[in-house]
Amino acid sequence: KAGVTQTPRYLIKTRGQQVTLSCSPISGHRSVSWYQQTPGQGLQFLFEYFSETQRNKGNFPGRFSGRQFSNSRSEMNVSTLELGDSALYLCASTSGAGGIQYFGAGTRLSVL
Amino acid sequence: TQLLEQSPQFLSIQEGENLTVYCNSSSVFSSLQWYRQEPGEGPVLLVTVVTGGEVKKLKRLTFQFGDARKDSSLHITAAQPGDTGLYLCAGARNAGGTSYGKLTFGQGTILTVHP
């Protein structure tokens, strides 16, 4: 069974640009959560999608958005990039049972 | 705000030593998960503890969940260089609403085991 796949693995953008990251969950998993990981703040929850609906959202500005498709694949978008958005962005998929989340390898975003 | 305080932040030990990592909160969690993360990779699940007082063993790793389900510990016996990595505890609440899909993470413990 394939794991959680995130693309691309690395991205370099400049301030003001926007970026779209992709996440394909484990087959059969319908919930996808996104996290931002930085050395200073650790792992922080961005949002969660289930059956194409955002069910939960963390404390991030509106520049961070996401969506989920009918095949459970999810994308997150960050608009008007700031230097502080440089981070490892992780997605995790959940089977729904017990809240166990399985993580992808992440997308490393560098904003210059 | 639910917080998970993880300690210590850094551990540098010699091969063969024992160590314990602590994860404490003032909030009750439905379950607590421990992950290990290596540089450039995502966190990999080690164990999930659900019942207060639960103890789980995974080879040289022993995980405990506090009776009140507010704290947990990870004990490694006879650490090896292959244990080096970032260890993260994460709490889940299954109450729906603002809990959906959200894990609350501790800050992590960077463990270095020297040969």
Side-chain angles (χ1 to χ4, degrees), chain B residues 12-34:
Chain B
S12 180
I13 61 173
Q14 293 296 125
E15 182 176 2
E17 293 184 8
N18 302 332
L19 66 110
T20 302
V21 178
Y22 299 93
C23 188
N24 297 298
S25 175
S26 57
S27 301
V28 175
F29 289 97
S30 304
S31 66
L32 203 135
Q33 298 164 26
W34 285 91

